Amino acid sequence: MNIQHADRGTSYAVSVGHNRAAEIAADVLDAGGNAVDAGVAASIALTVLHSEQVQLGGVSPILVYLAESQQTYSIEGAGSWPHAVERTHFEEKYRGRIPQGILRTVTPAGPDAWITALEQFGSMSFFELAEPARNLAKEGFPAHQDLVDCTKQFERYYRRYEENTNIWLPNGQPVQLGQTFIQPSLANTLGAMIETDRKAASKKDRIAGLSAVRDIFYKGEIADEMIRHIVKHDGLMTHTDLALHKTPVVPATASPVFGGTAFTCGFWSQGPVLSQSLQILEHFYRENPSEINCSRHHVFLEAIKLAMADREAYYGDPNFVNVPSDHLLSPAYAAERANQIQTDHAFDALPSAGSFSGLEKPKISANRRSTEFSPSLDTSIAVVADKHGNIFASTPSDSSFDGPAVPNLGFVISTRGGQSYVTNDHPACLYPGKRPRVSACPFIIRNREGRFIAGGGPGADLQLQTAVQILMNHFIFDQPLADAVSEPRVFTHSAPGSSEPHLSFAGKIVIEEGIPEPVAVNLEKIGHKITRETSHGINRPSVCIVGSGEGHYEAIGDPRRDSGQKTKINSQQKIS
């Protein structure tokens, strides 16, 4: 598999899910902005350029590393359930399911996350950073393959709502490759936010401008338009829900890995599965050096299953769930889990979750099968490392086809509620004011030498499996990052999906082309149920990565999906 995008530089590195958004981030850095400014600008641009899978009213989990203080923060850009939601309503009317549509709506988190990031860590104004996105929405851009494929694949979902049809099926048909794709309503929404910021900042200062943008979105005319839309479609969210939304900024969840530290979002996301999996893999290969030549794909799959079992048993919004976080991320517990891996036999369904003193061991949801097609498509990525060593990594998200778009605003309000459960004994059970357990999960790794690797990407639950395999290839098998990204991958589907209807398939794995046939035969021999799929296309997970440290920067894109990489360098060197 060829590397599509990989560059090295000496001043900064940008790796983003669309090349134009990467250019916008680089322009911000060249103008004197920092990594947070550039990352926010790229994230807002992605709501236009990848509006099929990133919504202005969606989620935007963010990690920020500050070089001066050497601190890493999580900006928890996830919405919460309306206070009027009742779990029993879904039990009685929808047989324990959360149907597609307006009832999945949670508070829109992205705008407040970006504003909060700029207030605390940025240096530029909202209007400066959002203007390129507004122009793209107003003037249009050539439709790319992801947009084309999405509108074709999910055409019947768009047609359920006139509002969505008008945006993503222009002229009543799926988007064609290269056609100019224009989003006038979204341009007007961004324009209102930009002008609000410009006026308030000119009267007082940058912070006043940002506060005014927050107010127009969550309390002003944009909020009014959202609530009119919610009422029209018999939804639950109110003005009060919007006005109460606030983005927490907390230390990132940290855990020791490979002599360094992994930083993820908290247990309201699936992010810590990455840390658990890496710890399990690290212990397995440290204690079993003779197994270094056995199927690393098998060992990876078993490690992921062990961590996913804990996700299903314990992960949920910590404001509502007693998560045994210290136990789950301890090296001693990782060793206990690693000892359950057998090199000659695969777990069929998920293994049992771990047990902790003083905590009742939850039951993992049984494998849930369905003939219903379960669309799962969302998330992009913006990763930036600036010349000062600061890092921004974010996975802005939310799809365009599983809820009605607000016609005068040009976006779908977050339907991330589909990543909750109805059953009362599940840690990700829905509850008023509670956040769904979000699949989108950026990461930052600091290795033992102090160099950083940051990234993330699209792929729903599989984005995390992608990241773990890349980091395993790099840290355990000593592959350069670019090679680790292009290496063929495998994925387990034994864990319940994060999104409704939470399907799982015991023992099923998907292998990409490029996995040698003898490896595939051995995986089947020890109990894995193989499905072969292409590595390319809109349904395949991918990644964007930035590496930085000691004045050297690296920006890497995944050959599986188009993206954009930019570096500023004194003398450019192409990675082979």
Side-chain angles (χ1 to χ4, degrees):
M1 188 178 293
N2 295 323
I3 301 296
Q4 283 189 330
H5 308 291
D7 292 292
R8 290 184 179 138
T10 56
S11 183
Y12 62 67
V14 173
S15 193
V16 181
H18 190 285
N19 186 60
R20 183 68 189 99
E23 291 174 348
I24 289 169
D27 289 343
V28 170
L29 294 171
D30 288 337
N34 63 25
V36 173
D37 299 319
V40 168
S43 297
I44 297 171
L46 288 170
T47 71
V48 177
L49 293 161
H50 270 303
S51 67
E52 79 282 0
Q53 55 193 324
V54 181
Q55 298 303 303
L56 183 67
V59 301
S60 192
I62 299 170
L63 295 174
V64 171
Y65 171 75
L66 302 178
E68 184 175 0
S69 64
Q70 298 187 36
Q71 299 296 310
T72 306
Y73 294 95
S74 172
I75 301 173
E76 299 186 337
S80 56
W81 278 99
H83 286 81
V85 73
E86 295 181 356
R87 185 181 59 81
T88 54
H89 175 72
F90 294 99
E91 286 184 330
E92 295 166 0
K93 189 169 182 179
Y94 299 102
R95 293 186 289 182
R97 295 282 302 280
I98 304 172
Q100 289 189 30
I102 203 73
L103 291 179
R104 288 187 176 185
T105 301
V106 297
T107 51
D112 192 62
W114 302 322
I115 293 165
T116 300
L118 293 175
E119 285 175 332
Q120 298 199 24
F121 308 119
S123 66
M124 296 178 69
S125 297
F126 183 89
F127 73 83
E128 298 174 279
L129 303 176
E131 188 68 49
R134 191 258 293 266
N135 291 339
L136 284 166
K138 181 179 179 179
E139 299 168 9
F141 59 90
H144 50 79
Q145 195 66 53
D146 275 6
L147 178 58
V148 170
D149 290 347
C150 182
T151 57
K152 288 181 179 178
Q153 182 173 341
F154 299 105
E155 179 180 356
R156 70 182 179 95
Y157 290 87
Y158 288 118
R159 292 196 185 280
R160 292 179 300 182
Y161 306 110
E162 181 181 0
E163 303 97 327
N164 303 54
T165 299
N166 291 338
I167 299 172
W168 290 286
L169 299 177
N171 303 315
Q173 299 297 324
V175 178
Q176 300 300 305
L177 187 65
Q179 81 171 75
T180 301
F181 186 65
I182 300 172
Q183 299 166 87
S185 294
L186 184 56
N188 290 338
T189 302
L190 288 168
M193 298 168 74
I194 286 167
E195 292 311 311
T196 296
D197 178 58
R198 197 190 307 271
K199 290 177 182 178
S202 67
K203 291 180 179 179
K204 192 172 182 181
D205 56 23
R206 186 180 75 92
I207 298 302
L210 293 170
S211 180
V213 176
R214 177 184 285 114
D215 283 348
I216 191 178
F217 192 93
Y218 290 94
K219 299 177 183 179
E221 62 187 64
I222 296 175
D224 292 341
E225 194 67 38
M226 284 192 279
I227 297 305
R228 280 193 289 270
H229 175 74
I230 292 286
V231 171
K232 174 185 174 182
H233 287 273
D234 298 321
L236 300 173
M237 194 164 63
T238 66
H239 277 98
T240 300
D241 293 314
L242 288 174
L244 289 176
H245 180 81
K246 184 175 177 59
T247 305
V249 179
V250 301
T253 298
S255 56
V257 294
F258 304 113
T261 307
F263 299 99
T264 68
C265 298
F267 287 87
W268 53 270
S269 75
Q270 68 167 347
V273 170
L274 179 139
S275 302
Q276 282 196 253
S277 302
L278 293 176
Q279 287 180 324
I280 292 169
L281 289 164
E282 179 182 14
H283 180 85
F284 178 87
Y285 282 109
R286 184 174 63 238
E287 297 302 314
N288 301 279
S290 63
E291 301 292 349
I292 198 73
N293 293 320
C294 85
S295 174
R296 66 186 184 211
H297 304 97
H298 166 68
V299 175
F300 156 75
L301 290 164
E302 302 305 274
I304 279 284
K305 291 176 192 175
L306 288 160
M308 286 288 195
D310 288 336
R311 184 195 75 172
E312 289 306 299
Y314 296 111
Y315 285 31
D317 185 346
N319 294 330
F320 293 82
V321 178
N322 181 20
V323 182
S325 53
D326 290 343
H327 296 290
L328 290 168
L329 297 178
S330 72
Y333 178 64
E336 177 186 323
R337 298 297 268 169
N339 290 337
Q340 298 179 44
I341 296 176
Q342 301 178 49
T343 57
D344 59 353
H345 180 72
F347 296 119
D348 183 22
L350 282 189
S352 297
S355 297
F356 305 108
S357 176
L359 284 177
E360 181 180 354
K361 186 175 180 179
K363 295 180 181 178
I364 298 176
S365 298
N367 281 19
R368 190 172 182 178
R369 299 178 183 273
S370 173
T371 56
E372 173 192 355
F373 174 60
S374 176
S376 181
L377 173 70
D378 58 82
T379 308
S380 192
I381 178 67
V383 194
V384 180
D386 67 25
K387 64 182 180 181
H388 304 293
N390 304 309
I391 299 171
F392 175 101
S394 181
T395 45
S397 190
D398 284 357
S399 61
S400 54
F401 50 77
D402 63 346
V406 188
N408 293 330
L409 299 181
F411 62 81
V412 177
I413 307 171
S414 178
T415 54
R416 189 59 61 159
Q419 294 198 323
S420 292
Y421 282 75
V422 174
T423 178
N424 195 37
D425 60 354
H426 196 285
C429 172
L430 66 86
Y431 194 81
K434 185 179 179 182
R435 294 170 290 185
R437 190 185 62 204
V438 173
S439 59
C441 49
F443 66 86
I444 296 176
I445 308 287
R446 183 173 186 168
N447 70 13
R448 66 173 74 243
E449 289 83 27
R451 182 169 172 78
F452 289 87
I453 302 168
D461 286 307
L462 302 187
Q463 64 185 273
L464 186 142
Q465 296 190 45
T466 293
V468 172
Q469 288 180 82
I470 290 167
L471 295 168
M472 176 185 74
N473 292 339
H474 179 65
F475 284 112
I476 295 176
F477 296 99
D478 297 322
Q479 291 185 355
L481 274 176
D483 293 343
V485 168
S486 64
E487 188 77 15
R489 299 171 193 150
V490 299
F491 303 96
T492 177
H493 288 264
S494 288
S498 286
S499 298
E500 277 277 5
H502 306 296
L503 302 181
S504 61
F505 303 91
K508 176 184 175 180
I509 68 169
V510 170
I511 66 172
E512 293 183 344
E513 74 266 22
I515 297 290
E517 186 61 22
V519 172
V521 169
N522 184 63
L523 288 170
E524 284 188 308
K525 181 179 177 181
I526 58 181
H528 298 286
K529 301 169 186 175
I530 289 179
T531 298
R532 291 169 171 83
E533 292 186 6
T534 177
S535 62
H536 293 73
I538 194 169
N539 293 310
R540 304 314 305 155
S542 65
V543 71
C544 288
I545 284 180
V546 158
S548 66
E550 298 181 346
H552 298 283
Y553 296 82
E554 189 172 10
I556 299 171
D558 197 322
R560 294 159 179 82
R561 300 269 287 271
D562 286 337
S563 60
Q565 285 67 48
K566 302 296 174 185
T567 57
K568 187 171 185 178
I569 50 182
N570 295 322
S571 57
Q572 187 167 0
Q573 176 186 0
K574 196 73 176 176
I575 301 174
S576 58

